[in-house]
Amino acid sequence: MGLFGKKDKKAASNLSSKSQLKIDDKKDGAEYTLLLEGRLDTITSPSLEAKINEAVGDASKLILDLGSLDYISSAGLRVLLGAAQAMDGKGDMIVRNLNQSVREVFDLTGFSNLFNIE
Amino acid sequence: MMQELIVEADRMNLPQVQAFIDEQLEEVGCPMPAQISIDIAVEELFVNIASYAYGNGSGKAVVQVTVHEDPLSVEITFIDNGAPYDPLAKADPDTTLSLKERKKGGLGIFMVKKSMDNVSYEYKDGNNILTIKKNLN
């Protein structure tokens, strides 16, 4: 009984941690940094979009640190594209610390050439 | 052996669908980069069904996974009985456009086409049937 209880619990927590994104934001004058951790997918990308919309209003520099981002789908790419287009002409957007799998998605879709990547 | 999951075509079921796929992939020791590519493809295709197959109504999505050995590969089929729609017929996005000109549409299916070894669609007996295949070594 105890064993089955434990097993169920583990499966449930794996499932809920499956689609999670943590966003830490830092503001230094008109420079905004968003640190992303986890997964940027269909379910989590609206929360990043909301944060970016907040920042874009008065940011002259938007830094997206993807150092702890493990996964990005087209839903995440659309949010990043929207952010870059919104910043275009009003300031800089920098994307930094891409891991291998995120880098591959950027290369596959041509996003590597669109963004200022550090 | 084929494994099958039937869920409501609702994007909030995406974690359940991906967990089901990952379970099969982990069992055969799928390398992490391939698993991530497959996870992305599964998201794009499942979310497509959840978003468009049944309009404002609701319906089911069937996900079938078959692992083939020698050479090791995985085949995943998505079935819905919504409106006939071939997502592969959509033109690929132009990846050479400038930032200003880039459009947000079509990226998901484009990634599926580029990252899988085979992608096929058929409409049969009232069902949309989309199959992807990825070689694992």
CSV table of all heavy atoms in Angstrom, one decimal, chain B residues 20-68:
chain,number,residue,atom,x,y,z
B,20,PHE,N,3.4,10.6,-21.5
B,20,PHE,CA,3.1,9.3,-22.1
B,20,PHE,C,4.2,8.9,-23.1
B,20,PHE,O,4.7,7.8,-23.2
B,20,PHE,CB,1.7,9.3,-22.7
B,20,PHE,CG,1.4,8.1,-23.7
B,20,PHE,CD1,1.2,6.8,-23.2
B,20,PHE,CD2,1.3,8.4,-25.1
B,20,PHE,CE1,1.0,5.8,-24.1
B,20,PHE,CE2,1.1,7.3,-25.9
B,20,PHE,CZ,0.9,6.0,-25.5
B,21,ILE,N,4.5,9.9,-24.0
B,21,ILE,CA,5.5,9.6,-25.0
B,21,ILE,C,6.9,9.4,-24.4
B,21,ILE,O,7.7,8.5,-24.7
B,21,ILE,CB,5.6,10.9,-26.0
B,21,ILE,CG1,4.3,11.1,-26.7
B,21,ILE,CG2,6.8,10.7,-27.0
B,21,ILE,CD1,3.9,10.1,-27.7
B,22,ASP,N,7.2,10.3,-23.4
B,22,ASP,CA,8.6,10.2,-22.8
B,22,ASP,C,8.8,8.9,-22.1
B,22,ASP,O,9.9,8.3,-22.1
B,22,ASP,CB,8.7,11.4,-21.7
B,22,ASP,CG,8.9,12.7,-22.4
B,22,ASP,OD1,9.2,12.7,-23.6
B,22,ASP,OD2,8.8,13.7,-21.7
B,23,GLU,N,7.7,8.4,-21.5
B,23,GLU,CA,7.8,7.1,-20.8
B,23,GLU,C,8.2,6.0,-21.8
B,23,GLU,O,9.1,5.2,-21.5
B,23,GLU,CB,6.4,6.7,-20.3
B,23,GLU,CG,6.3,5.7,-19.2
B,23,GLU,CD,4.9,5.5,-18.8
B,23,GLU,OE1,4.2,6.5,-18.3
B,23,GLU,OE2,4.4,4.3,-18.8
B,24,GLN,N,7.6,6.0,-23.0
B,24,GLN,CA,8.0,5.0,-24.0
B,24,GLN,C,9.5,5.2,-24.5
B,24,GLN,O,10.2,4.3,-24.7
B,24,GLN,CB,7.1,5.1,-25.3
B,24,GLN,CG,5.7,5.3,-25.0
B,24,GLN,CD,5.0,4.1,-24.3
B,24,GLN,OE1,5.4,3.0,-24.5
B,24,GLN,NE2,4.1,4.4,-23.4
B,25,LEU,N,9.8,6.5,-24.6
B,25,LEU,CA,11.2,6.8,-25.1
B,25,LEU,C,12.3,6.4,-24.1
B,25,LEU,O,13.3,5.9,-24.4
B,25,LEU,CB,11.3,8.3,-25.4
B,25,LEU,CG,10.4,8.8,-26.6
B,25,LEU,CD1,10.5,10.3,-26.8
B,25,LEU,CD2,10.7,8.1,-27.9
B,26,GLU,N,11.9,6.7,-22.8
B,26,GLU,CA,12.9,6.4,-21.8
B,26,GLU,C,13.1,4.9,-21.7
B,26,GLU,O,14.2,4.4,-21.4
B,26,GLU,CB,12.5,7.0,-20.4
B,26,GLU,CG,12.9,8.5,-20.3
B,26,GLU,CD,12.0,9.2,-19.3
B,26,GLU,OE1,11.4,8.6,-18.4
B,26,GLU,OE2,11.9,10.5,-19.5
B,27,GLU,N,12.1,4.1,-21.9
B,27,GLU,CA,12.1,2.7,-21.9
B,27,GLU,C,13.1,2.1,-22.9
B,27,GLU,O,13.8,1.1,-22.6
B,27,GLU,CB,10.8,2.1,-22.1
B,27,GLU,CG,10.5,0.8,-21.4
B,27,GLU,CD,9.0,0.6,-21.2
B,27,GLU,OE1,8.4,1.3,-20.4
B,27,GLU,OE2,8.5,-0.2,-22.0
B,28,VAL,N,13.3,2.8,-24.0
B,28,VAL,CA,14.2,2.3,-25.1
B,28,VAL,C,15.5,3.0,-25.1
B,28,VAL,O,16.3,2.9,-26.0
B,28,VAL,CB,13.6,2.3,-26.5
B,28,VAL,CG1,12.4,1.4,-26.5
B,28,VAL,CG2,13.2,3.7,-26.9
B,29,GLY,N,15.7,3.9,-24.0
B,29,GLY,CA,17.0,4.6,-23.9
B,29,GLY,C,17.2,5.6,-25.0
B,29,GLY,O,18.3,5.8,-25.5
B,30,CYS,N,16.1,6.3,-25.4
B,30,CYS,CA,16.2,7.3,-26.4
B,30,CYS,C,17.2,8.4,-25.9
B,30,CYS,O,17.1,8.9,-24.8
B,30,CYS,CB,14.8,7.9,-26.6
B,30,CYS,SG,14.8,9.3,-27.8
B,31,PRO,N,18.2,8.8,-26.8
B,31,PRO,CA,19.1,9.9,-26.4
B,31,PRO,C,18.3,11.2,-26.1
B,31,PRO,O,17.3,11.5,-26.8
B,31,PRO,CB,20.0,10.1,-27.6
B,31,PRO,CG,19.8,8.9,-28.4
B,31,PRO,CD,18.4,8.3,-28.1
B,32,MET,N,18.8,12.0,-25.2
B,32,MET,CA,18.1,13.2,-24.8
B,32,MET,C,17.8,14.2,-25.9
B,32,MET,O,16.7,14.7,-26.1
B,32,MET,CB,18.8,13.9,-23.6
B,32,MET,CG,18.0,15.0,-22.9
B,32,MET,SD,16.3,14.6,-22.6
B,32,MET,CE,16.4,13.6,-21.1
B,33,PRO,N,18.8,14.5,-26.8
B,33,PRO,CA,18.5,15.4,-27.9
B,33,PRO,C,17.3,15.0,-28.8
B,33,PRO,O,16.5,15.8,-29.2
B,33,PRO,CB,19.8,15.5,-28.7
B,33,PRO,CG,20.8,15.0,-27.8
B,33,PRO,CD,20.2,14.0,-26.9
B,34,ALA,N,17.3,13.6,-29.1
B,34,ALA,CA,16.2,13.1,-29.9
B,34,ALA,C,14.9,13.2,-29.1
B,34,ALA,O,13.8,13.6,-29.7
B,34,ALA,CB,16.4,11.7,-30.2
B,35,GLN,N,14.9,13.0,-27.8
B,35,GLN,CA,13.7,13.1,-27.0
B,35,GLN,C,13.1,14.5,-27.0
B,35,GLN,O,11.9,14.7,-27.1
B,35,GLN,CB,14.0,12.6,-25.6
B,35,GLN,CG,12.7,12.6,-24.7
B,35,GLN,CD,12.9,12.0,-23.3
B,35,GLN,OE1,13.8,11.2,-23.1
B,35,GLN,NE2,12.1,12.4,-22.4
B,36,ILE,N,14.0,15.5,-26.9
B,36,ILE,CA,13.6,16.9,-26.9
B,36,ILE,C,12.9,17.2,-28.3
B,36,ILE,O,11.8,17.8,-28.3
B,36,ILE,CB,14.7,17.8,-26.6
B,36,ILE,CG1,15.1,17.6,-25.1
B,36,ILE,CG2,14.3,19.3,-26.8
B,36,ILE,CD1,16.3,18.4,-24.6
B,37,SER,N,13.6,16.8,-29.4
B,37,SER,CA,13.0,17.0,-30.7
B,37,SER,C,11.6,16.3,-30.8
B,37,SER,O,10.7,16.9,-31.4
B,37,SER,CB,13.9,16.4,-31.8
B,37,SER,OG,15.1,17.0,-31.8
B,38,ILE,N,11.5,15.1,-30.3
B,38,ILE,CA,10.2,14.4,-30.4
B,38,ILE,C,9.2,15.1,-29.5
B,38,ILE,O,8.0,15.3,-29.9
B,38,ILE,CB,10.4,12.9,-30.0
B,38,ILE,CG1,11.3,12.2,-31.0
B,38,ILE,CG2,9.0,12.2,-29.8
B,38,ILE,CD1,11.8,10.8,-30.6
B,39,ASP,N,9.6,15.5,-28.3
B,39,ASP,CA,8.7,16.3,-27.4
B,39,ASP,C,8.1,17.5,-28.1
B,39,ASP,O,6.9,17.8,-28.0
B,39,ASP,CB,9.4,16.7,-26.2
B,39,ASP,CG,9.3,15.7,-25.0
B,39,ASP,OD1,8.7,14.7,-25.2
B,39,ASP,OD2,9.8,16.0,-23.9
B,40,ILE,N,9.0,18.2,-28.8
B,40,ILE,CA,8.6,19.5,-29.5
B,40,ILE,C,7.6,19.1,-30.6
B,40,ILE,O,6.5,19.7,-30.7
B,40,ILE,CB,9.8,20.2,-30.1
B,40,ILE,CG1,10.6,20.8,-29.0
B,40,ILE,CG2,9.3,21.4,-31.0
B,40,ILE,CD1,12.0,21.4,-29.4
B,41,ALA,N,7.9,18.1,-31.4
B,41,ALA,CA,7.0,17.7,-32.5
B,41,ALA,C,5.6,17.3,-31.9
B,41,ALA,O,4.6,17.6,-32.5
B,41,ALA,CB,7.6,16.5,-33.3
B,42,VAL,N,5.7,16.5,-30.8
B,42,VAL,CA,4.4,16.1,-30.2
B,42,VAL,C,3.6,17.3,-29.7
B,42,VAL,O,2.4,17.3,-29.9
B,42,VAL,CB,4.7,15.1,-29.0
B,42,VAL,CG1,3.5,14.9,-28.1
B,42,VAL,CG2,5.2,13.8,-29.5
B,43,GLU,N,4.3,18.3,-29.1
B,43,GLU,CA,3.6,19.5,-28.7
B,43,GLU,C,2.9,20.2,-29.9
B,43,GLU,O,1.7,20.5,-29.9
B,43,GLU,CB,4.5,20.5,-28.0
B,43,GLU,CG,3.8,21.8,-27.8
B,43,GLU,CD,4.6,22.8,-26.9
B,43,GLU,OE1,5.6,22.4,-26.3
B,43,GLU,OE2,4.3,24.0,-27.0
B,44,GLU,N,3.7,20.4,-31.0
B,44,GLU,CA,3.1,21.1,-32.1
B,44,GLU,C,1.9,20.4,-32.7
B,44,GLU,O,0.9,21.0,-33.0
B,44,GLU,CB,4.2,21.2,-33.2
B,44,GLU,CG,5.5,21.8,-32.7
B,44,GLU,CD,5.4,23.3,-32.2
B,44,GLU,OE1,4.3,23.9,-32.3
B,44,GLU,OE2,6.4,23.8,-31.6
B,45,LEU,N,2.0,19.1,-32.8
B,45,LEU,CA,0.9,18.3,-33.5
B,45,LEU,C,-0.3,18.2,-32.5
B,45,LEU,O,-1.5,18.3,-33.0
B,45,LEU,CB,1.4,16.9,-33.9
B,45,LEU,CG,2.5,17.0,-35.0
B,45,LEU,CD1,3.1,15.6,-35.2
B,45,LEU,CD2,2.0,17.7,-36.3
B,46,PHE,N,-0.1,17.9,-31.3
B,46,PHE,CA,-1.2,17.8,-30.3
B,46,PHE,C,-1.9,19.1,-30.2
B,46,PHE,O,-3.2,19.2,-30.2
B,46,PHE,CB,-0.8,17.2,-29.0
B,46,PHE,CG,-1.9,17.1,-28.0
B,46,PHE,CD1,-2.9,16.2,-28.2
B,46,PHE,CD2,-2.0,18.0,-27.0
B,46,PHE,CE1,-3.9,16.1,-27.3
B,46,PHE,CE2,-3.1,17.9,-26.1
B,46,PHE,CZ,-4.0,17.0,-26.2
B,47,VAL,N,-1.1,20.2,-30.0
B,47,VAL,CA,-1.7,21.5,-29.8
B,47,VAL,C,-2.5,22.0,-31.1
B,47,VAL,O,-3.6,22.6,-31.0
B,47,VAL,CB,-0.7,22.6,-29.4
B,47,VAL,CG1,-1.2,24.0,-29.4
B,47,VAL,CG2,-0.1,22.3,-28.0
B,48,ASN,N,-2.0,21.6,-32.3
B,48,ASN,CA,-2.7,21.8,-33.5
B,48,ASN,C,-4.1,21.2,-33.5
B,48,ASN,O,-5.1,21.8,-33.8
B,48,ASN,CB,-2.0,21.2,-34.7
B,48,ASN,CG,-1.4,22.3,-35.6
B,48,ASN,OD1,-1.6,23.5,-35.4
B,48,ASN,ND2,-0.8,21.8,-36.7
B,49,ILE,N,-4.2,19.9,-33.1
B,49,ILE,CA,-5.5,19.2,-33.0
B,49,ILE,C,-6.3,19.9,-31.9
B,49,ILE,O,-7.5,20.2,-32.2
B,49,ILE,CB,-5.2,17.8,-32.6
B,49,ILE,CG1,-4.5,17.0,-33.7
B,49,ILE,CG2,-6.6,17.1,-32.3
B,49,ILE,CD1,-4.1,15.6,-33.4
B,50,ALA,N,-5.7,20.3,-30.8
B,50,ALA,CA,-6.5,20.9,-29.7
B,50,ALA,C,-7.1,22.2,-30.1
B,50,ALA,O,-8.2,22.6,-29.7
B,50,ALA,CB,-5.6,21.1,-28.5
B,51,SER,N,-6.3,22.9,-31.0
B,51,SER,CA,-6.7,24.3,-31.4
B,51,SER,C,-7.7,24.3,-32.5
B,51,SER,O,-8.6,25.2,-32.6
B,51,SER,CB,-5.5,25.1,-31.8
B,51,SER,OG,-4.5,25.1,-30.7
B,52,TYR,N,-7.5,23.4,-33.5
B,52,TYR,CA,-8.3,23.5,-34.7
B,52,TYR,C,-9.2,22.4,-35.1
B,52,TYR,O,-10.2,22.6,-35.8
B,52,TYR,CB,-7.3,23.7,-35.9
B,52,TYR,CG,-6.4,24.9,-35.7
B,52,TYR,CD1,-5.0,24.7,-35.6
B,52,TYR,CD2,-6.8,26.2,-35.5
B,52,TYR,CE1,-4.1,25.7,-35.3
B,52,TYR,CE2,-6.0,27.2,-35.3
B,52,TYR,CZ,-4.6,27.0,-35.2
B,52,TYR,OH,-3.8,28.0,-35.0
B,53,ALA,N,-8.9,21.2,-34.7
B,53,ALA,CA,-9.7,20.0,-35.2
B,53,ALA,C,-11.2,20.1,-35.0
B,53,ALA,O,-12.0,19.8,-35.8
B,53,ALA,CB,-9.2,18.7,-34.6
B,54,TYR,N,-11.6,20.6,-33.8
B,54,TYR,CA,-13.0,20.5,-33.5
B,54,TYR,C,-13.7,21.9,-33.3
B,54,TYR,O,-14.7,22.1,-32.7
B,54,TYR,CB,-13.2,19.7,-32.2
B,54,TYR,CG,-12.7,18.3,-32.3
B,54,TYR,CD1,-11.5,17.9,-31.7
B,54,TYR,CD2,-13.4,17.4,-33.1
B,54,TYR,CE1,-11.0,16.6,-31.8
B,54,TYR,CE2,-12.9,16.1,-33.2
B,54,TYR,CZ,-11.7,15.7,-32.6
B,54,TYR,OH,-11.3,14.4,-32.7
B,55,GLY,N,-13.0,22.9,-34.0
B,55,GLY,CA,-13.6,24.3,-33.9
B,55,GLY,C,-13.8,24.7,-32.5
B,55,GLY,O,-12.9,24.6,-31.7
B,56,ASN,N,-15.0,25.2,-32.2
B,56,ASN,CA,-15.4,25.6,-30.8
B,56,ASN,C,-15.9,24.4,-30.0
B,56,ASN,O,-16.1,24.6,-28.8
B,56,ASN,CB,-16.4,26.7,-30.8
B,56,ASN,CG,-15.8,28.0,-31.4
B,56,ASN,OD1,-14.6,28.3,-31.2
B,56,ASN,ND2,-16.6,28.7,-32.1
B,57,GLY,N,-16.1,23.3,-30.6
B,57,GLY,CA,-16.5,22.1,-29.9
B,57,GLY,C,-15.4,21.3,-29.3
B,57,GLY,O,-14.3,21.9,-29.1
B,58,SER,N,-15.7,20.1,-28.9
B,58,SER,CA,-14.6,19.3,-28.3
B,58,SER,C,-14.6,17.9,-28.9
B,58,SER,O,-15.6,17.5,-29.6
B,58,SER,CB,-14.8,19.2,-26.8
B,58,SER,OG,-16.0,18.6,-26.5
B,59,GLY,N,-13.6,17.2,-28.7
B,59,GLY,CA,-13.4,15.9,-29.3
B,59,GLY,C,-12.2,15.2,-28.8
B,59,GLY,O,-11.5,15.8,-27.9
B,60,LYS,N,-11.9,14.0,-29.3
B,60,LYS,CA,-10.8,13.3,-28.8
B,60,LYS,C,-9.6,13.4,-29.7
B,60,LYS,O,-9.7,13.6,-30.9
B,60,LYS,CB,-11.2,11.8,-28.7
B,60,LYS,CG,-12.3,11.5,-27.8
B,60,LYS,CD,-12.0,11.5,-26.3
B,60,LYS,CE,-13.1,11.0,-25.5
B,60,LYS,NZ,-13.1,11.6,-24.1
B,61,ALA,N,-8.4,13.1,-29.1
B,61,ALA,CA,-7.2,12.9,-29.8
B,61,ALA,C,-6.6,11.6,-29.4
B,61,ALA,O,-6.6,11.2,-28.2
B,61,ALA,CB,-6.2,14.0,-29.5
B,62,VAL,N,-6.3,10.8,-30.4
B,62,VAL,CA,-5.6,9.5,-30.2
B,62,VAL,C,-4.2,9.6,-30.5
B,62,VAL,O,-3.8,10.1,-31.5
B,62,VAL,CB,-6.3,8.4,-31.1
B,62,VAL,CG1,-5.6,7.0,-30.9
B,62,VAL,CG2,-7.8,8.3,-30.8
B,63,VAL,N,-3.3,9.1,-29.6
B,63,VAL,CA,-1.9,9.1,-29.8
B,63,VAL,C,-1.4,7.7,-29.7
B,63,VAL,O,-1.6,7.0,-28.7
B,63,VAL,CB,-1.2,10.0,-28.7
B,63,VAL,CG1,0.3,10.2,-29.0
B,63,VAL,CG2,-1.8,11.4,-28.6
B,64,GLN,N,-0.7,7.3,-30.7
B,64,GLN,CA,-0.2,5.9,-30.8
B,64,GLN,C,1.3,5.9,-30.9
B,64,GLN,O,1.8,6.7,-31.8
B,64,GLN,CB,-0.8,5.1,-31.9
B,64,GLN,CG,-2.3,5.0,-31.9
B,64,GLN,CD,-2.9,4.4,-33.1
B,64,GLN,OE1,-2.3,4.4,-34.2
B,64,GLN,NE2,-4.1,3.8,-33.0
B,65,VAL,N,2.0,5.1,-30.1
B,65,VAL,CA,3.5,5.1,-30.2
B,65,VAL,C,3.9,3.7,-30.5
B,65,VAL,O,3.5,2.7,-29.9
B,65,VAL,CB,4.1,5.5,-28.9
B,65,VAL,CG1,5.6,5.5,-29.1
B,65,VAL,CG2,3.6,6.8,-28.4
B,66,THR,N,4.7,3.5,-31.5
B,66,THR,CA,5.3,2.2,-31.8
B,66,THR,C,6.9,2.3,-31.9
B,66,THR,O,7.4,3.2,-32.6
B,66,THR,CB,4.8,1.6,-33.2
B,66,THR,OG1,3.4,1.7,-33.2
B,66,THR,CG2,5.3,0.2,-33.4
B,67,VAL,N,7.5,1.5,-31.2
B,67,VAL,CA,9.0,1.5,-31.2
B,67,VAL,C,9.4,0.4,-32.2
B,67,VAL,O,9.0,-0.8,-32.0
B,67,VAL,CB,9.6,1.3,-29.8
B,67,VAL,CG1,11.1,1.2,-30.0
B,67,VAL,CG2,9.3,2.5,-28.9
B,68,HIS,N,10.2,0.7,-33.2
B,68,HIS,CA,10.7,-0.4,-34.1
B,68,HIS,C,12.2,-0.6,-33.7
B,68,HIS,O,12.9,0.3,-33.4
B,68,HIS,CB,10.7,0.1,-35.5
B,68,HIS,CG,9.3,0.4,-36.0
B,68,HIS,ND1,8.4,-0.6,-36.4
B,68,HIS,CD2,8.6,1.6,-36.1
B,68,HIS,CE1,7.3,0.0,-36.7
B,68,HIS,NE2,7.4,1.3,-36.6
